[in-house]
Amino acid sequence: MAFEIAEQLGWRLPTAVVAPMAGGSLVTKLVQGFTELQSLGWVDGELPRVSGVQAEGCAPIVQAFARGSTTIEPVTPHTAARSIAIGDPVDGRWALEALRRSGGRAVAVDDAAMRDGILTLARNAGVFAETAGGVTVSGARVLADDGQVGPDDEVVVCLTGQGLKTMDALDGALPVIPVVEPRSEEHTSELQ
């Protein structure tokens, strides 16, 4: 993903990247990828501040980051963001190292903010992201509100999946969609 970001930006690096964290490997590999590109001389720019976002109901990496710790204390997930609900993240320790090395942050958002992130992205960009995307968009907003990213930053927000796989997370937030049976005889009159 780091290579794709650099290529899409014309072989330069953004100033900040915000990504979802489940097991922690994505933020780790983003920092590794950007560092490799720099060492090869293929990109312009400093190492981006890579920040990771988790759902409040399952935020062991964020909690360790806030404590200044290198030890992840496992948690039991309690969030609708099941795609990133990893209570004992395998790469958590390395994610903490990558976040700190890049000057990034670790933040958590609640499920209401996650839903708002999904809907905001759909309304404003026409992109229907799954729960990790909603968490990440809302986390980017938290980072902006806290001054961790500013108007002069070029921020890349990583979306890792599409919304059809986590529709249940939006129960009650969208109008009921009618179900059409897959039989052509039921719709023949509509086609004529």
Side-chain angles (χ1 to χ4, degrees):
M1 187 177 276
F3 298 169
E4 182 72 18
I5 290 169
E7 181 197 15
Q8 291 294 315
L9 293 177
W11 298 106
R12 62 184 172 74
L13 298 178
T15 57
V17 177
V18 184
M21 292 191 296
S25 62
L26 180 54
V27 294
T28 303
K29 296 307 179 187
L30 284 167
V31 171
Q32 178 183 347
F34 293 136
T35 302
E36 288 173 358
L37 289 168
Q38 286 177 317
S39 69
L40 290 168
W42 289 6
V43 293
D44 292 325
E46 298 295 316
L47 180 65
R49 297 182 316 276
V50 177
S51 294
V53 188
Q54 292 186 297
E56 274 184 7
C58 187
I61 299 171
V62 173
Q63 292 164 1
F65 188 90
R67 291 190 313 270
S69 178
T70 58
T71 303
I72 302 292
E73 295 178 9
V75 300
T76 300
H78 296 288
T79 177
R82 290 189 309 275
S83 64
I84 59 171
I86 307 296
D88 191 6
V90 174
D91 291 324
R93 181 170 60 94
W94 292 279
L96 290 167
E97 182 180 309
L99 295 169
R100 291 177 177 132
R101 178 171 167 241
S102 72
R105 299 287 179 259
V107 298
V109 298
D110 64 23
D111 283 3
M114 172 205 58
R115 286 183 197 91
D116 184 57
I118 293 170
L119 296 174
T120 297
L121 192 59
R123 288 182 185 120
N124 295 316
V127 173
F128 184 33
E130 50 93 36
T131 54
V135 165
T136 306
V137 168
S138 291
R141 186 178 298 144
V142 168
L143 291 166
D145 290 346
D146 289 348
Q148 300 299 320
V149 294
D152 294 333
D153 279 311
E154 182 172 33
V155 182
V156 173
V157 176
C158 300
L159 305 175
T160 57
Q162 59 92 8
L164 292 176
K165 71 181 201 177
T166 58
M167 290 287 295
D168 58 321
L170 293 174
D171 284 350
L174 298 173
V176 176
I177 300 171
V179 175
V180 178
E181 292 295 323
R183 291 191 292 278
S184 61
E185 61 273 7
E186 290 188 22
H187 307 289
T188 306
S189 62
E190 293 174 17
L191 299 174
Q192 296 176 355

